[in-house]
mmCIF file of all heavy atoms in Angstrom:
data_model
loop_
_atom_site.group_PDB
_atom_site.id
_atom_site.type_symbol
_atom_site.label_atom_id
_atom_site.label_comp_id
_atom_site.label_asym_id
_atom_site.label_seq_id
_atom_site.Cartn_x
_atom_site.Cartn_y
_atom_site.Cartn_z
ATOM 1 N N TRP A 1 0.870 -1.173 0.000
ATOM 2 C CA TRP A 1 0.000 0.000 0.000
ATOM 3 C C TRP A 1 0.908 1.224 0.000
ATOM 4 O O TRP A 1 1.650 1.453 0.945
ATOM 5 C CB TRP A 1 -0.888 -0.025 1.234
ATOM 6 C CG TRP A 1 -1.993 0.978 1.282
ATOM 7 C CD1 TRP A 1 -2.070 2.180 0.650
ATOM 8 C CD2 TRP A 1 -3.208 0.866 2.035
ATOM 9 N NE1 TRP A 1 -3.234 2.828 0.952
ATOM 10 C CE2 TRP A 1 -3.961 2.036 1.799
ATOM 11 C CE3 TRP A 1 -3.719 -0.107 2.885
ATOM 12 C CZ2 TRP A 1 -5.192 2.260 2.394
ATOM 13 C CZ3 TRP A 1 -4.959 0.108 3.482
ATOM 14 C CH2 TRP A 1 -5.693 1.284 3.232
ATOM 15 N N ARG A 2 0.824 2.033 -1.041
ATOM 16 C CA ARG A 2 1.677 3.209 -1.169
ATOM 17 C C ARG A 2 0.900 4.461 -0.806
ATOM 18 O O ARG A 2 -0.212 4.691 -1.299
ATOM 19 C CB ARG A 2 2.214 3.322 -2.602
ATOM 20 C CG ARG A 2 3.181 4.482 -2.813
ATOM 21 C CD ARG A 2 3.881 4.335 -4.154
ATOM 22 N NE ARG A 2 4.730 5.475 -4.445
ATOM 23 C CZ ARG A 2 4.457 6.426 -5.334
ATOM 24 N NH1 ARG A 2 3.331 6.346 -6.042
ATOM 25 N NH2 ARG A 2 5.293 7.427 -5.546
ATOM 26 N N PHE A 3 1.495 5.274 0.073
ATOM 27 C CA PHE A 3 0.924 6.541 0.502
ATOM 28 C C PHE A 3 1.833 7.657 -0.005
ATOM 29 O O PHE A 3 3.050 7.627 0.225
ATOM 30 C CB PHE A 3 0.844 6.628 2.027
ATOM 31 C CG PHE A 3 -0.025 5.580 2.673
ATOM 32 C CD1 PHE A 3 0.435 4.282 2.854
ATOM 33 C CD2 PHE A 3 -1.299 5.900 3.118
ATOM 34 C CE1 PHE A 3 -0.356 3.321 3.462
ATOM 35 C CE2 PHE A 3 -2.102 4.942 3.730
ATOM 36 C CZ PHE A 3 -1.634 3.646 3.898
ATOM 37 N N VAL A 4 1.261 8.666 -0.637
ATOM 38 C CA VAL A 4 2.030 9.806 -1.126
ATOM 39 C C VAL A 4 1.464 11.074 -0.504
ATOM 40 O O VAL A 4 0.247 11.257 -0.455
ATOM 41 C CB VAL A 4 1.977 9.910 -2.667
ATOM 42 C CG1 VAL A 4 2.777 11.123 -3.148
ATOM 43 C CG2 VAL A 4 2.511 8.639 -3.300
ATOM 44 N N GLY A 5 2.353 11.963 -0.026
ATOM 45 C CA GLY A 5 1.905 13.225 0.558
ATOM 46 C C GLY A 5 1.542 13.107 2.017
ATOM 47 O O GLY A 5 0.637 13.787 2.496
ATOM 48 N N LEU A 6 2.248 12.254 2.755
ATOM 49 C CA LEU A 6 1.954 12.054 4.170
ATOM 50 C C LEU A 6 2.494 13.192 5.023
ATOM 51 O O LEU A 6 3.548 13.761 4.738
ATOM 52 C CB LEU A 6 2.585 10.740 4.658
ATOM 53 C CG LEU A 6 1.884 9.450 4.238
ATOM 54 C CD1 LEU A 6 2.787 8.261 4.535
ATOM 55 C CD2 LEU A 6 0.566 9.303 4.984
ATOM 56 N N GLY A 7 1.762 13.488 6.088
ATOM 57 C CA GLY A 7 2.266 14.378 7.125
ATOM 58 C C GLY A 7 2.435 15.821 6.732
ATOM 59 O O GLY A 7 3.083 16.586 7.432
ATOM 60 N N GLY A 8 1.898 16.219 5.598
ATOM 61 C CA GLY A 8 2.002 17.612 5.207
ATOM 62 C C GLY A 8 3.371 17.996 4.673
ATOM 63 O O GLY A 8 3.594 19.150 4.295
ATOM 64 N N ASP A 9 4.334 17.055 4.634
ATOM 65 C CA ASP A 9 5.675 17.368 4.143
ATOM 66 C C ASP A 9 5.928 16.788 2.756
ATOM 67 O O ASP A 9 7.045 16.816 2.254
ATOM 68 C CB ASP A 9 6.739 16.850 5.119
ATOM 69 C CG ASP A 9 6.647 15.331 5.329
ATOM 70 O OD1 ASP A 9 5.802 14.693 4.674
ATOM 71 O OD2 ASP A 9 7.426 14.814 6.151
ATOM 72 N N GLY A 10 4.873 16.241 2.137
ATOM 73 C CA GLY A 10 5.028 15.680 0.814
ATOM 74 C C GLY A 10 5.722 14.339 0.791
ATOM 75 O O GLY A 10 6.033 13.807 -0.272
ATOM 76 N N GLY A 11 5.996 13.763 1.969
ATOM 77 C CA GLY A 11 6.686 12.488 2.028
ATOM 78 C C GLY A 11 5.813 11.344 1.564
ATOM 79 O O GLY A 11 4.592 11.462 1.453
ATOM 80 N N SER A 12 6.442 10.225 1.269
ATOM 81 C CA SER A 12 5.705 9.041 0.849
ATOM 82 C C SER A 12 6.207 7.832 1.619
ATOM 83 O O SER A 12 7.283 7.848 2.215
ATOM 84 C CB SER A 12 5.872 8.816 -0.660
ATOM 85 O OG SER A 12 7.235 8.549 -0.970
ATOM 86 N N ALA A 13 5.399 6.786 1.641
ATOM 87 C CA ALA A 13 5.775 5.549 2.311
ATOM 88 C C ALA A 13 5.051 4.402 1.636
ATOM 89 O O ALA A 13 3.897 4.555 1.205
ATOM 90 C CB ALA A 13 5.425 5.602 3.798
ATOM 91 N N THR A 14 5.722 3.274 1.542
ATOM 92 C CA THR A 14 5.106 2.061 1.022
ATOM 93 C C THR A 14 5.095 1.018 2.126
ATOM 94 O O THR A 14 6.139 0.676 2.680
ATOM 95 C CB THR A 14 5.879 1.517 -0.193
ATOM 96 O OG1 THR A 14 5.849 2.501 -1.238
ATOM 97 C CG2 THR A 14 5.227 0.233 -0.713
ATOM 98 N N VAL A 15 3.901 0.556 2.464
ATOM 99 C CA VAL A 15 3.737 -0.432 3.525
ATOM 100 C C VAL A 15 3.614 -1.792 2.859
ATOM 101 O O VAL A 15 2.698 -2.017 2.054
ATOM 102 C CB VAL A 15 2.482 -0.134 4.378
ATOM 103 C CG1 VAL A 15 2.453 -1.022 5.612
ATOM 104 C CG2 VAL A 15 2.444 1.332 4.776
ATOM 105 N N THR A 16 4.519 -2.686 3.170
ATOM 106 C CA THR A 16 4.529 -4.013 2.555
ATOM 107 C C THR A 16 4.051 -5.056 3.553
ATOM 108 O O THR A 16 3.884 -4.769 4.753
ATOM 109 C CB THR A 16 5.946 -4.363 2.073
ATOM 110 O OG1 THR A 16 6.858 -4.276 3.176
ATOM 111 C CG2 THR A 16 6.393 -3.403 0.982
ATOM 112 N N ALA A 17 3.835 -6.268 3.078
ATOM 113 C CA ALA A 17 3.348 -7.351 3.940
ATOM 114 C C ALA A 17 4.288 -7.531 5.133
ATOM 115 O O ALA A 17 5.511 -7.548 4.981
ATOM 116 C CB ALA A 17 3.261 -8.644 3.142
ATOM 117 N N GLY A 18 3.689 -7.632 6.331
ATOM 118 C CA GLY A 18 4.472 -7.793 7.545
ATOM 119 C C GLY A 18 4.877 -6.490 8.191
ATOM 120 O O GLY A 18 5.619 -6.500 9.179
ATOM 121 N N SER A 19 4.373 -5.356 7.673
ATOM 122 C CA SER A 19 4.686 -4.054 8.271
ATOM 123 C C SER A 19 3.409 -3.268 8.509
ATOM 124 O O SER A 19 2.319 -3.660 8.070
ATOM 125 C CB SER A 19 5.652 -3.266 7.383
ATOM 126 O OG SER A 19 5.080 -3.014 6.121
ATOM 127 N N PHE A 20 3.538 -2.139 9.217
ATOM 128 C CA PHE A 20 2.370 -1.314 9.510
ATOM 129 C C PHE A 20 2.721 0.154 9.347
ATOM 130 O O PHE A 20 3.888 0.559 9.428
ATOM 131 C CB PHE A 20 1.853 -1.568 10.932
ATOM 132 C CG PHE A 20 2.688 -0.920 12.009
ATOM 133 C CD1 PHE A 20 2.421 0.376 12.452
ATOM 134 C CD2 PHE A 20 3.745 -1.609 12.593
ATOM 135 C CE1 PHE A 20 3.205 0.976 13.433
ATOM 136 C CE2 PHE A 20 4.529 -1.017 13.580
ATOM 137 C CZ PHE A 20 4.258 0.274 14.004
ATOM 138 N N LEU A 21 1.692 0.953 9.138
ATOM 139 C CA LEU A 21 1.807 2.409 9.126
ATOM 140 C C LEU A 21 0.726 2.968 10.033
ATOM 141 O O LEU A 21 -0.445 2.589 9.913
ATOM 142 C CB LEU A 21 1.623 2.962 7.705
ATOM 143 C CG LEU A 21 1.574 4.493 7.600
ATOM 144 C CD1 LEU A 21 2.960 5.087 7.791
ATOM 145 C CD2 LEU A 21 1.005 4.928 6.251
ATOM 146 N N ALA A 22 1.107 3.854 10.945
ATOM 147 C CA ALA A 22 0.142 4.557 11.795
ATOM 148 C C ALA A 22 0.223 6.037 11.453
ATOM 149 O O ALA A 22 1.318 6.594 11.303
ATOM 150 C CB ALA A 22 0.468 4.335 13.269
ATOM 151 N N ARG A 23 -0.938 6.671 11.312
ATOM 152 C CA ARG A 23 -0.962 8.072 10.919
ATOM 153 C C ARG A 23 -2.230 8.729 11.426
ATOM 154 O O ARG A 23 -3.211 8.067 11.735
ATOM 155 C CB ARG A 23 -0.909 8.189 9.387
ATOM 156 C CG ARG A 23 -2.132 7.583 8.701
ATOM 157 C CD ARG A 23 -2.015 7.613 7.189
ATOM 158 N NE ARG A 23 -3.209 7.057 6.547
ATOM 159 C CZ ARG A 23 -4.277 7.755 6.217
ATOM 160 N NH1 ARG A 23 -4.323 9.064 6.460
ATOM 161 N NH2 ARG A 23 -5.320 7.185 5.650
ATOM 162 N N ARG A 24 -2.178 10.038 11.543
ATOM 163 C CA ARG A 24 -3.413 10.776 11.755
ATOM 164 C C ARG A 24 -4.183 10.817 10.450
ATOM 165 O O ARG A 24 -3.639 10.530 9.390
ATOM 166 C CB ARG A 24 -3.094 12.187 12.239
ATOM 167 C CG ARG A 24 -2.400 12.186 13.589
ATOM 168 C CD ARG A 24 -3.134 13.074 14.538
ATOM 169 N NE ARG A 24 -2.379 13.182 15.796
ATOM 170 C CZ ARG A 24 -2.950 13.297 16.966
ATOM 171 N NH1 ARG A 24 -4.272 13.281 17.053
ATOM 172 N NH2 ARG A 24 -2.233 13.406 18.058
ATOM 173 N N ASN A 25 -5.452 11.209 10.511
ATOM 174 C CA ASN A 25 -6.296 11.039 9.337
ATOM 175 C C ASN A 25 -6.207 12.176 8.333
ATOM 176 O O ASN A 25 -7.034 12.250 7.436
ATOM 177 C CB ASN A 25 -7.751 10.858 9.754
ATOM 178 C CG ASN A 25 -8.304 12.100 10.433
ATOM 179 O OD1 ASN A 25 -7.853 12.454 11.512
ATOM 180 N ND2 ASN A 25 -9.254 12.771 9.807
ATOM 181 N N GLY A 26 -5.212 13.053 8.453
ATOM 182 C CA GLY A 26 -5.007 14.047 7.407
ATOM 183 C C GLY A 26 -4.799 13.348 6.076
ATOM 184 O O GLY A 26 -4.037 12.389 5.976
ATOM 185 N N ALA A 27 -5.458 13.804 5.038
ATOM 186 C CA ALA A 27 -5.518 13.048 3.787
ATOM 187 C C ALA A 27 -4.182 13.036 3.054
ATOM 188 O O ALA A 27 -3.627 14.084 2.762
ATOM 189 C CB ALA A 27 -6.585 13.649 2.880
#
């Protein structure tokens, strides 16, 4: 699952099997 534009800093993250991502609900 790829997230682009996280945290208001334009960062991205890819969550792969066996990992997790926790975030506030900012889109």
Side-chain angles (χ1 to χ4, degrees):
W1 190 335
R2 183 168 175 254
F3 299 79
V4 179
L6 285 168
D9 59 3
S12 64
T14 298
V15 190
T16 57
S19 61
F20 76 90
L21 174 74
R23 64 184 181 89
R24 296 233 186 214
N25 65 294

